[in-house]
Amino acid sequence: MGLWLTLAGAAAAVNVVLLLLLVGIWTRNYLDIGSKHALGLAIFGVLLLAENLLAFYYYVLDPQVAQLLRSAAPVAGQAMSFVQFLELAGLLFLAWVTWE
């Protein structure tokens, strides 16, 4: 279970970096174009950034939650790790689409 949480923490960290870049691009696009679509993407990115920062805190920085996930609820920890990997895949695709 420790490996899963380590990988989930790494995925959350990569997600944070990707979201910072994407929110910057989407915010710049909103300021340049004034499109509601770009504003929606920027707001979505900020909310997902907050979720990933909280996940990173739980996986890496808060020893009580990390210990609970490792020992008391390993299935829940694995499921939460899988969600982080799915988010990473989605953000990598969004980054590719945004930079194309």
Side-chain angles (χ1 to χ4, degrees), residues 11-98:
V14 173
N15 288 347
V16 166
V17 172
L18 284 172
L19 283 166
L20 287 171
L21 294 171
L22 287 170
V23 167
I25 291 170
W26 294 331
T27 301
R28 186 188 64 209
N29 287 346
Y30 173 69
L31 295 174
D32 288 346
I33 303 169
S35 164
K36 286 183 179 178
H37 185 258
L39 177 62
L41 286 172
I43 290 172
F44 170 76
V46 168
L47 295 174
L48 200 57
L49 177 64
E51 186 267 337
N52 276 281
L53 285 170
L54 186 62
F56 182 78
Y57 174 78
Y58 282 142
Y59 292 145
V60 178
L61 300 178
D62 189 335
Q64 291 179 338
V65 174
Q67 181 60 31
L68 176 69
L69 290 172
R70 284 186 182 98
S71 61
V75 174
Q78 288 176 349
M80 292 169 61
S81 300
F82 186 68
V83 170
Q84 287 301 132
F85 302 139
L86 290 176
E87 282 184 26
L88 178 60
L91 288 173
L92 287 172
F93 183 75
L94 262 178
W96 175 72
V97 168
T98 300

